Amino acid sequence: MPALLIIAIVVGLVLLFSGIFVAALKFLLFIGLILIVLAIVGWIVRQVRSRV
C-alpha cells in the first residue's frame, strides 16, 4: 500500500508541475506576441519617419 501512495504522490506532483509550466508557457506566449506586435509597429513608424 505505501508503494501505491508514493506512486500517486509522484504522479500528482508531475501533473501539478506540468500544469504550472503549461500556464507559464501560455503567459509567455502572449507576452511574446505583444512584443512582436510592438516591434513591427516600431519598425513601421521608423520606416514612415525616415521617408518624410
Side-chain angles (χ1 to χ4, degrees), residues 3-51:
L4 183 61
L5 291 175
I6 292 172
I7 292 172
I9 290 172
V10 169
V11 169
L13 288 175
V14 168
L15 291 175
L16 174 70
F17 287 126
S18 65
I20 291 171
F21 290 139
V22 168
L25 288 176
K26 286 181 183 178
F27 177 69
L28 291 176
L29 176 67
F30 286 119
I31 290 179
L33 289 174
I34 291 170
L35 287 176
I36 289 172
V37 168
L38 289 175
I40 290 172
V41 168
W43 179 75
I44 290 172
V45 168
R46 179 182 284 181
Q47 293 296 322
V48 169
R49 286 190 179 182
S50 67
R51 291 183 183 173

